[in-house]
């Protein structure tokens, strides 16, 4: 079986825990800016951000930690945390860990059933929520949660009340509890967003996450350092964002929080990060938006040529000799005309990005690198405390998720499944020994993903083991490969390829709402026409068919999409069709859109 491993750059002592850097930073560099908070007023010049130093952050954490102790939070207590990405999320997280308790994140968009399951299964006795809506949601399910005795609401000022309660607790008690934390103690239980079935609680220890952070820092020193900064807009309930949060604190980089995805471009221009992290869908939307603006300005041909040059330039960087003189000159021209404007949308200082959570289309990766923003694609699971492989400054191969990070071994099983061994691998699922036994075997974690290792140890993820479609004729189809290519089309928002135990392969397609008005205008339709009204319109179907034809040319005839349906509405998280990180829940979609599936295949 193919296997590659990289020696650990850092090993974690049993006495180390995730809160130690907070205290060390406050002692060693108290005035270094650790966070920027969006509070308004006369802050940081004209950019609207106020500074939070390392000392202030430590003091905020201690104050909330004392309040938790005053309210009976003991080591090992599970504390729910339901909030958007904001500074208070980070403070509460570190305060909970500082007293030896366990943070249990809940996505702010969770349904009552999802929140109830997370709080019930984890046995949480307390919960911090952000808004009145969150408080009402938790209150509505509290009848089935007899163990939940306390709920604090951030927007109601309850953190201030916690701080006041903490005045009667000796700060030395926080130190005593912190000193008792060991590497194998639980830091957090993160529930998988779950594309199928009930979410499972991944037990993440202090050693798990700190090992991942320390070795990721060693591999990515250009991202994690005191001169670096990032604007975090992914949900902190996701392990990927938690990894970045811990890395920022560990290295005294600067971080801002933003939950306003509809204003993210303005936020990025204001904050001016040196790197960002996102799921691939964010970069798909950035490129789609740039394409749309070019159309509206009558510069579509220029943008398309700039896009081609960016991809060619990036591809040439991976060849001996690099880009030729003519390509370099074209690249310089389009940098002035197009690429600078794209980078300006990220704040002008951002030259790198980290993506994970879903496959990055290689063409998209080449486009952004050619435009001056290198995207380091990585791979990992909640069960591995986030990243286990990543493309890195010392070696990037677009189309792969990079080599193992230090301290990680990757093996490809006989059936193609990716197996992982590392100190970052979790000890198991909370209250679920059966699932733990299925996932952990002979010291290896079974990822459920399929992959390949090239001769240099770079990993390529080819699909999900459980999502392989087997047609009625016995043909195996990996839907992700087709879906990635079709989503490149500006009109396509989402696509789900179907065909398991069916006579042929088909697809459900949704239309990108940001591209829809322009398409209507170009084709002479009233601006208030909906997708539902026009989804059988021949020109619209022809445009989607062109994207499907391009994808079909990359696979064998039995794997090709034979027909498709344009859906009247896009998939949504509120309908449980998307996870909070925008992954499509394939099984759910086939239930919610059952009439459309029936229209393709009959009963």
């Amino acid at each position: 079986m193919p296997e590659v491993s990289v020696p650990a750059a850092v090993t974690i002592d049993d006495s180390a825990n995730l809160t130690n850097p907070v205290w060390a930073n406050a002692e060693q560099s108290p005035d270094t800016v650790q966070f920027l908070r969006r509070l308004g007023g006369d802050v940081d010049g004209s950019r609207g951000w106020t500074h939070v130093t390392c000392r202030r952050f430590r003091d905020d954490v201690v104050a909330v930690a004392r309040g938790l102790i005053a309210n009976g939070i003991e080591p090992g207590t599970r504390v729910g945390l339901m909030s958007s990405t904001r500074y208070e999320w980070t403070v509460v997280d570190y305060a909970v860990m500082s007293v030896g308790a366990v943070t249990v994140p809940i996505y702010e968009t969770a349904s009552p059933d999802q929140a109830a399951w997370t709080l019930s299964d984890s046995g949480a006795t307390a919960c911090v929520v952000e808004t009145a809506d969150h408080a009402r949601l938790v209150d509505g399910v509290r009848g089935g949660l007899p163990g939940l005795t306390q709920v604090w609401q951030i927007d109601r000022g309850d953190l201030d009340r916690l701080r006041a309660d903490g005045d009667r607790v000796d700060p030395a008690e926080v130190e005593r509890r912190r000193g008792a934390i060991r590497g194998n103690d639980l830091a957090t239980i993160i529930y998988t967003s779950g594309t199928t079935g009930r979410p499972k609680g991944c037990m993440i220890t202090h050693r798990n996450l700190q090992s991942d952070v320390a070795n990721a820092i060693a591999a990515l020193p250009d991202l994690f350092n005191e001169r670096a900064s990032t604007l975090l807009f992914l949900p902190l309930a996701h392990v990927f964002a938690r990894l970045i949060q811990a890395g920022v604190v560990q290295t005294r980089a600067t971080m801002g929080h933003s939950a306003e995805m509809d204003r993210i471009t303005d936020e990025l221009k204001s904050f001016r990060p040196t790197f960002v992290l996102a799921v691939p869908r964010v970069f798909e939307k950035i490129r789609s938006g740039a394409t749309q603006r070019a159309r509206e300005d009558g510069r579509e041909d220029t943008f398309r040529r700039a896009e081609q040059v960016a991809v060619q330039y990036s591809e040439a960087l991976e060849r001996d000799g690099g880009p030729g003189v003519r390509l370099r000159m074209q690249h310089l021209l389009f940098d002035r005309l197009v690429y600078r404007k794209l980078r300006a949308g990220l704040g002008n200082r951002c030259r790198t990005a980290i993506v994970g959570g879903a496959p990055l289309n290689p063409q998209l990766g080449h486009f952004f690198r050619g435009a001056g923003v290198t995207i380091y694609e990585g791979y990992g699971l909640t069960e591995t405390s986030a990243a286990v492989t990543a493309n890195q400054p010392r070696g990037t191969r677009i189309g792969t998720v990079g080599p193992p990070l230090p301290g990680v071994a990757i093996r490809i099983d006989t059936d193609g499944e990716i197996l992982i061994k590392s100190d970052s691998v979790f000890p198991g699922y909370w209250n679920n020994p059966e699932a733990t036994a299925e996932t952990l075997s002979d010291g290896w974690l079974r990822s459920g993903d399929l992959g390949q290792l090239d001769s240099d140890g770079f990993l390529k993820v080819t699909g999900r083991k459980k999502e392989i479609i087997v047609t009625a004729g016995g043909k195996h189809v990996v839907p992700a490969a087709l879906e990635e290519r079709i989503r490149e089309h500006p009109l396509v928002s989402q696509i789900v390829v179907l065909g398991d135990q069916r006579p042929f392969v088909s697809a459900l397609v949704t239309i990108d709402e940001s591209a829809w008005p322009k398409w209507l205008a170009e084709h002479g339709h009233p601006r208030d026409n909906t997708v539902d009204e026009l989804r059988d319109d021949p020109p619209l179907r022809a445009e989607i068919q062109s994207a499907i034809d391009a994808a079909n040319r990359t696979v064998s005839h039995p794997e090709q999409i034979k027909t498709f349906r344009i859906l009247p509405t896009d998939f949504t998280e509120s309908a449980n069709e998307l996870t909070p990180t925008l992954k499509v829940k394939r099984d759910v979609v086939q239930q919610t859109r059952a009439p459309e599936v029936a229209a393709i295949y009959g009963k």
Side-chain angles (χ1 to χ4, degrees), residues 250-382:
Q250 179 88 10
T251 57
R252 294 199 288 266
T254 303
M255 187 169 82
H257 301 75
S258 178
E260 300 182 74
M261 285 303 294
D262 56 338
R263 294 187 62 249
I264 195 61
T265 300
D266 292 338
E267 292 281 270
L268 287 166
K269 288 179 181 177
S270 172
F271 189 89
R272 302 182 67 236
T274 62
F275 75 95
V276 296
L277 72 151
V279 292
R281 187 69 181 135
V282 170
F283 289 96
E284 290 172 2
K285 284 187 172 291
I286 290 174
R287 184 179 65 173
S288 178
T291 303
Q292 188 66 24
R293 287 191 296 275
R295 282 182 179 176
E296 293 169 355
D297 295 342
R299 298 182 295 105
E300 185 176 5
D301 289 345
T302 299
F303 184 86
R304 290 297 186 195
R305 181 56 187 150
E307 190 174 34
Q308 292 170 3
V309 168
V311 171
Q312 292 168 3
Y313 186 87
S314 175
E315 291 173 339
L317 292 174
E318 296 185 359
R319 297 194 296 266
D320 291 340
V325 174
R326 185 168 179 271
L327 183 56
R328 290 201 304 271
M329 294 300 293
Q330 290 178 316
H331 184 264
L332 183 61
L333 172 64
F334 285 117
D335 188 72
R336 293 172 178 170
L337 295 176
V338 177
Y339 309 148
R340 287 182 182 179
K341 295 178 181 177
L342 192 72
R343 295 195 300 270
L346 294 171
N348 270 326
R349 292 202 308 161
C350 182
R351 292 294 181 270
T352 53
I354 310 173
V355 300
L360 175 73
N361 185 288
Q363 201 264 359
L364 191 68
H366 281 301
F367 167 68
F368 273 95
R369 183 167 68 174
V373 180
T374 300
I375 298 176
Y376 295 125
E377 186 176 9
Y379 167 74
L381 311 166
T382 308

Side-chain angles (χ1 to χ4, degrees), residues 140-337:
V141 300
R142 211 162 166 179
L145 302 170
L148 184 65
T149 59
Q150 300 182 93
V151 177
W152 297 292
Q153 182 186 326
I154 295 171
D155 285 353
R156 194 175 58 190
D158 285 354
L159 295 190
D160 290 334
R161 281 186 274 277
L162 272 176
R163 294 183 180 99
D165 291 344
D167 287 344
R168 63 179 185 267
V169 174
D170 188 338
E173 178 61 14
V174 178
E175 285 298 313
R176 186 190 70 77
R177 292 202 186 186
R178 274 201 337 106
I181 299 170
R182 291 294 175 261
N184 288 334
D185 290 340
L186 281 187
T188 184
I189 302 174
I190 302 178
Y191 281 75
T192 59
S193 53
T195 55
T196 59
R198 279 284 196 187
K200 298 188 290 288
C202 297
M203 299 187 291
I204 308 295
T205 68
H206 285 265
R207 175 179 282 110
N208 288 152
L209 193 50
Q210 201 162 20
S211 175
D212 204 0
V213 167
N215 284 288
I217 290 169
L220 299 165
D222 293 346
L223 271 71
F224 294 105
N225 58 69
E226 284 195 47
R227 299 177 303 281
S229 64
T230 190
L231 181 64
L232 189 66
F233 49 86
L234 287 184
L236 274 161
H238 193 275
V239 70
F240 186 24
R242 292 286 281 291
L243 174 71
I244 299 301
Q245 173 184 271
V248 164
V249 171
Q250 179 88 10
T251 57
R252 294 199 288 266
T254 303
M255 187 169 82
H257 301 75
S258 178
E260 300 182 74
M261 285 303 294
D262 56 338
R263 294 187 62 249
I264 195 61
T265 300
D266 292 338
E267 292 281 270
L268 287 166
K269 288 179 181 177
S270 172
F271 189 89
R272 302 182 67 236
T274 62
F275 75 95
V276 296
L277 72 151
V279 292
R281 187 69 181 135
V282 170
F283 289 96
E284 290 172 2
K285 284 187 172 291
I286 290 174
R287 184 179 65 173
S288 178
T291 303
Q292 188 66 24
R293 287 191 296 275
R295 282 182 179 176
E296 293 169 355
D297 295 342
R299 298 182 295 105
E300 185 176 5
D301 289 345
T302 299
F303 184 86
R304 290 297 186 195
R305 181 56 187 150
E307 190 174 34
Q308 292 170 3
V309 168
V311 171
Q312 292 168 3
Y313 186 87
S314 175
E315 291 173 339
L317 292 174
E318 296 185 359
R319 297 194 296 266
D320 291 340
V325 174
R326 185 168 179 271
L327 183 56
R328 290 201 304 271
M329 294 300 293
Q330 290 178 316
H331 184 264
L332 183 61
L333 172 64
F334 285 117
D335 188 72
R336 293 172 178 170
L337 295 176

Side-chain angles (χ1 to χ4, degrees), residues 284-498:
E284 290 172 2
K285 284 187 172 291
I286 290 174
R287 184 179 65 173
S288 178
T291 303
Q292 188 66 24
R293 287 191 296 275
R295 282 182 179 176
E296 293 169 355
D297 295 342
R299 298 182 295 105
E300 185 176 5
D301 289 345
T302 299
F303 184 86
R304 290 297 186 195
R305 181 56 187 150
E307 190 174 34
Q308 292 170 3
V309 168
V311 171
Q312 292 168 3
Y313 186 87
S314 175
E315 291 173 339
L317 292 174
E318 296 185 359
R319 297 194 296 266
D320 291 340
V325 174
R326 185 168 179 271
L327 183 56
R328 290 201 304 271
M329 294 300 293
Q330 290 178 316
H331 184 264
L332 183 61
L333 172 64
F334 285 117
D335 188 72
R336 293 172 178 170
L337 295 176
V338 177
Y339 309 148
R340 287 182 182 179
K341 295 178 181 177
L342 192 72
R343 295 195 300 270
L346 294 171
N348 270 326
R349 292 202 308 161
C350 182
R351 292 294 181 270
T352 53
I354 310 173
V355 300
L360 175 73
N361 185 288
Q363 201 264 359
L364 191 68
H366 281 301
F367 167 68
F368 273 95
R369 183 167 68 174
V373 180
T374 300
I375 298 176
Y376 295 125
E377 186 176 9
Y379 167 74
L381 311 166
T382 308
E383 290 86 345
T384 63
S385 312
V388 289
T389 74
N391 283 287
Q392 302 157 33
R394 62 182 178 84
T396 295
R397 190 162 298 173
I398 291 175
T400 77
V401 292
L405 289 170
V408 176
I410 299 290
R411 174 187 288 176
I412 306 299
D413 207 354
T414 52
D415 63 354
E417 185 176 10
I418 300 168
L419 309 182
I420 304 162
K421 183 182 289 185
S422 170
D423 279 351
S424 66
V425 170
F426 78 151
Y429 296 108
W430 180 263
N431 284 340
N432 201 333
E434 296 82 6
T436 300
E438 291 175 3
T439 302
L440 299 176
S441 176
D442 298 325
W444 293 87
L445 179 138
R446 294 192 166 275
S447 69
D449 291 317
L450 302 172
Q452 302 167 349
L453 285 167
D454 69 15
S455 57
D456 295 318
F458 283 70
L459 177 67
K460 180 179 178 65
V461 180
T462 57
R464 282 290 294 170
K465 190 174 178 180
K466 292 182 179 179
E467 288 191 352
I468 291 179
I469 289 171
V470 182
T471 67
K475 183 64 180 178
H476 286 61
V477 180
V478 179
L482 287 164
E483 291 165 351
E484 285 173 32
R485 290 181 172 88
I486 295 167
R487 275 201 308 269
E488 291 178 17
H489 194 285
L491 263 181
V492 176
S493 175
Q494 296 285 5
I495 176 169
V496 170
V497 172
L498 309 171

